[in-house]
Amino acid sequence: MRLPSYKFICSFIAAIVVPCCGRIALNGSGVEDEIHRYMIPLTVGATSGFLFGHYFDKWRNSMKLLEETNEQLTREAKRCNTADSWHYALFEKSHSVILVIASDTGKIVDANPQASRFYGYPVKILKQMYIHEINTESKKTLSRKLLAANKETRKVYYFKHRLASGEVLSLIHISEPTRQDTRSRMPE
């Protein structure tokens, strides 16, 4: 619902009220019937009312904008809830190399900045890769180990991974399956 503009309402009210006050002030002086005694207060009243209404409209619009901005910020704060701050603290700021792998496909779903530094690939590229592109074991052996880790039969694995530079390193991986969107994810 659109509110009426106060510059027109105030100018109309002031155009009536100011001349009436003038008439009351001039009552009994004998000059209350002269037209110029009403035109000047009418003009002054309408102009001042218009200006008052104009600035009141500006104030009202700025308050409305502030309320909308506050609502947007509140919605954004609710969206970035505590879980996101935990994700940031435990994943993004961790000093450990963390890869989140879809256990059914072997796709790297997420990687933290430390993994990017360690492997030598940007996070964006790591998220487009599959774990078998980094791991030197065969796809069949790797798939079997991913399934075992998903079933939680084993948590510690020894792998050899190839870095972006081509160097192969022996690594100890600690796997912990998590569930997200009904799909199993394997942090490595």
Side-chain angles (χ1 to χ4, degrees):
M1 182 174 123
R2 189 161 189 255
L3 295 172
S5 173
Y6 279 100
K7 56 186 157 193
F8 298 113
I9 293 171
C10 292
S11 63
F12 179 73
I13 292 171
I16 293 171
V17 171
V18 172
C20 287
C21 292
R23 177 153 171 89
I24 292 168
L26 294 174
N27 193 18
S29 66
V31 291
E32 63 267 7
D33 293 331
E34 296 175 15
I35 191 73
H36 70 279
R37 305 279 182 200
Y38 297 105
M39 290 308 291
I40 293 173
L42 175 73
T43 306
V44 169
T47 305
S48 62
F50 182 84
L51 291 174
F52 173 79
H54 174 72
Y55 289 110
F56 188 76
D57 281 342
K58 279 189 158 193
W59 175 80
R60 183 178 62 173
N61 289 340
S62 64
M63 289 294 112
K64 185 179 175 185
L65 185 65
L66 281 173
E67 287 174 8
E68 290 172 1
T69 304
N70 190 29
E71 288 172 10
Q72 287 175 347
L73 288 172
T74 303
R75 283 193 303 271
E76 187 67 22
K78 285 180 182 176
R79 191 184 67 74
C80 297
N81 60 13
T82 310
D84 288 341
S85 61
W86 276 100
H87 175 269
Y88 180 76
L90 295 175
F91 187 76
E92 297 290 332
K93 288 295 182 184
S94 175
H95 295 286
S96 300
V97 174
I98 302 174
L99 295 176
V100 180
I101 301 166
S103 59
D104 54 346
T105 63
K107 178 147 179 52
I108 299 173
V109 178
D110 207 355
N112 70 346
Q114 191 65 24
S116 174
R117 283 189 289 279
F118 178 76
Y119 286 106
Y121 296 103
V123 172
K124 188 176 180 180
I125 300 296
L126 279 171
K127 288 180 174 184
Q128 296 171 355
M129 297 174 76
Y130 288 83
I131 192 64
H132 66 266
E133 295 176 61
I134 295 173
N135 199 308
T136 58
E137 293 190 22
S138 69
K139 282 186 185 180
K140 188 176 182 180
T141 306
L142 188 57
S143 295
R144 196 177 32 202
K145 287 183 178 181
L146 282 173
L147 288 173
N150 190 31
K151 292 177 183 173
E152 298 186 50
T153 56
R154 210 170 140 197
K155 292 192 182 257
V156 179
Y157 295 90
Y158 300 93
F159 289 120
K160 289 187 179 187
H161 281 195
R162 183 172 284 107
L163 308 181
S165 64
E167 183 182 0
V168 177
L169 295 177
S170 296
L171 306 170
I172 298 173
H173 288 260
I174 301 172
S175 295
E176 185 65 44
T178 60
R179 300 254 178 232
Q180 181 180 22
D181 300 330
T182 69
R183 296 181 65 193
S184 181
R185 308 275 189 225
M186 296 293 304
E188 233 184 56

